[in-house]
């Protein structure tokens, strides 16, 4: 005779939550609100659901194995060398780890070229990086998410003052009497767009035309973009690079074409990463570790107030 007893999947379906959320609610784990927990428990009682003792022991860590709630850092980046070549991500993980210190919550990282369409077993929460607005909104409907950078409608986010940082870079070049300015901007993301807007606004106010090339935050594309700019405008005396990785490609192009950095062409980056320090690069510093830490704390406690924009500061070095 077939077993007709209700299952956890039945409880999840009737309660209108995922199976993972139902399991967390039944076992008193992180990741569900009090309202959801009460609803799941009430549905389980109505259906006569009884957790299997072995499964419950495994879920709660009483059976020799312990399942930990996890926070997933979901990074959308088509660059296969992203984790090793972009210091930004390492700084994010440092800040996230700092926020989770002392908590029984694991940290996982997923690097994908596009947001996964399937989400059968969502984690306790997700920290979203470069996730398009529509996908971010969909994730937010299913669970806890916080985005690094402005994202979809209704999606909580933490971001630096990108617009202000772009403005600081432009003011520095204008005050340094740079007249023929180029810029290698980033991909069409909110953060990159904000940096672009701040930079161009100041340049327009100073009546400085800007030769523009689009980049994608990779060294290879930045190198190509810088070569294109120099071919179009051989007399450039300054280049703004929308991130430090982009600046590395710009510096290579300048060296190969015989330009002397700072004397002939000033270069300003954005991030303030270890790359900037190593390359003696003037760069707009953004507090990535604090940004990630703040985002994780809000992920753990959505009742916390929104942190607002984190300040950026220009660090002047030998490249300008």
């Amino acid at each position: 005779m077939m077993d007709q007893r209700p299952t956890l999947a039945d409880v999840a379906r009737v309660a209108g939550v995922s199976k993972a959320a139902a399991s967390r609610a039944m076992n008193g784990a992180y990741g569900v609100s009090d309202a959801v927990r009460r609803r799941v428990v009430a549905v389980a009682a109505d259906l006569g659901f009884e957790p299997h003792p072995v499964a419950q022991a495994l879920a709660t860590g009483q059976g020799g194995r312990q399942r930990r709630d996890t926070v997933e850092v979901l990074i959308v980046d088509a660059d296969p060398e992203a984790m090793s070549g972009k210091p930004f991500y390492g700084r994010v993980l440092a800040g996230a780890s700092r926020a989770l210190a002392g908590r029984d919550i694991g940290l996982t990282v997923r690097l994908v070229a596009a947001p996964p369409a399937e989400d059968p077993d969502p984690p306790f929460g997700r920290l979203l990086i470069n996730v398009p607005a529509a996908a971010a909104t969909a994730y937010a409907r299913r669970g806890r998410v916080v985005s690094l950078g402005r994202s979809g409608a209704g999606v909580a986010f933490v971001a630096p003052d990108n617009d202000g940082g772009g403005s600081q870079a432009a003011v520095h070049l204008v005050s340094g009497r740079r007249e023929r300015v180029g810029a290698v901007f980033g991909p069409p993301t909110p953060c990159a767009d904000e940096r672009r807007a701040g930079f161009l606004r100041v340049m327009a106010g100073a009546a400085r035309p800007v030769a523009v090339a689009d980049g994608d935050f990779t060294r290879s594309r930045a190198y190509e973009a810088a070569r294109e700019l120099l071919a179009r405008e051989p007399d450039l005396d300054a280049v703004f690079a929308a991130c430090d990785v982009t600046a590395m490609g710009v510096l290579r192009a300048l060296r190969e074409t015989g330009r002397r950095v700072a004397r002939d062409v000033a270069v300003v980056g954005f991030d303030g990463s270890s790359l900037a320090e190593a390359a003696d690069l003037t760069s707009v510093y953004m507090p990535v570790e604090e940004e990630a830490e703040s985002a994780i704390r809000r992920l753990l406690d959505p009742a916390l107030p929104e942190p607002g924009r984190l300040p950026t500061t220009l660090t002047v070095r030998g490249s300008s």
Side-chain angles (χ1 to χ4, degrees):
M1 184 175 178
M2 293 183 64
D3 190 348
Q4 297 299 315
R5 291 180 298 177
T7 66
L8 182 62
D10 296 324
V11 173
R13 175 177 50 79
V14 175
V17 299
S18 69
K19 185 176 177 181
S23 175
R24 287 194 286 268
M26 293 295 295
N27 294 308
Y30 282 107
V32 293
S33 67
D34 290 339
V36 168
R37 195 183 311 279
R38 288 193 296 269
R39 184 166 77 248
V40 169
V41 171
V43 167
D46 289 343
L47 295 179
F49 170 72
E50 295 182 4
H52 191 285
V54 174
Q56 188 173 43
L58 290 174
T60 57
Q62 297 171 3
R65 292 169 51 199
Q66 184 170 1
R67 285 184 53 185
R68 301 174 68 199
D69 282 304
T70 60
V71 166
E72 179 184 84
V73 179
L74 177 61
I75 303 169
V76 176
D77 195 320
D79 180 6
E81 305 298 325
M83 295 304 295
S84 60
K86 298 179 179 179
F88 174 81
Y89 296 135
R91 296 178 66 192
V92 168
L93 296 182
S97 298
R98 195 161 65 196
L100 292 174
R103 300 175 182 270
D104 191 25
I105 301 178
L107 183 66
T108 63
V109 181
R110 181 154 50 149
L111 175 68
V112 294
E118 300 296 324
D119 195 24
D121 189 17
F124 159 65
R126 282 194 175 96
L127 184 62
L128 307 179
I129 303 178
N130 304 332
V131 175
T137 299
Y139 284 130
R141 291 195 190 105
R142 297 194 292 264
R144 293 190 187 192
V145 300
V146 175
S147 175
L148 288 190
R150 180 168 50 86
S151 188
V155 178
F157 72 92
V158 182
D161 182 10
N162 290 294
D163 185 288
S167 298
Q168 292 167 35
V171 168
H172 177 64
L173 293 177
V174 169
S175 64
R177 302 183 184 279
R178 302 291 174 166
E179 300 288 341
R180 297 172 298 281
V181 179
V184 180
F185 291 121
T189 64
C191 288
D193 290 345
E194 291 162 2
R195 296 173 195 180
R196 181 184 188 127
F199 185 82
L200 292 178
R201 185 177 60 255
V202 170
M203 285 297 177
R208 296 285 205 285
V210 179
V212 172
D214 290 324
D216 60 3
F217 288 168
T218 66
R219 294 189 198 200
S220 58
R221 173 54 198 152
Y223 170 76
E224 294 169 358
R227 294 294 297 243
E228 292 167 10
L229 282 177
L230 292 168
R232 280 166 27 210
E233 304 287 343
D235 293 331
L236 284 179
D237 62 8
V239 178
F240 171 59
C243 79
D244 289 349
V245 173
T246 295
M248 297 303 106
V250 171
L251 291 172
R252 176 189 166 197
L254 293 175
R255 287 195 302 269
E256 289 187 1
T257 55
R259 271 78 168 184
R260 294 166 296 180
V261 174
R263 179 176 294 186
D264 297 331
V265 183
V267 181
V268 178
F270 200 114
D271 279 345
S273 67
S274 57
L275 287 176
E277 186 172 358
D280 198 22
L281 172 70
T282 295
S283 182
V284 177
Y285 175 83
M286 58 179 187
V288 178
E289 292 84 354
E290 289 78 5
E291 182 185 355
E293 184 175 7
S294 178
I296 292 293
R297 293 191 186 285
R298 193 156 195 276
L299 194 64
L300 298 178
D301 185 3
L304 289 174
E306 293 189 12
R309 295 280 181 166
L310 279 65
T312 55
T313 54
L314 181 73
T315 301
V316 177
R317 298 190 177 92
S319 69
S320 65

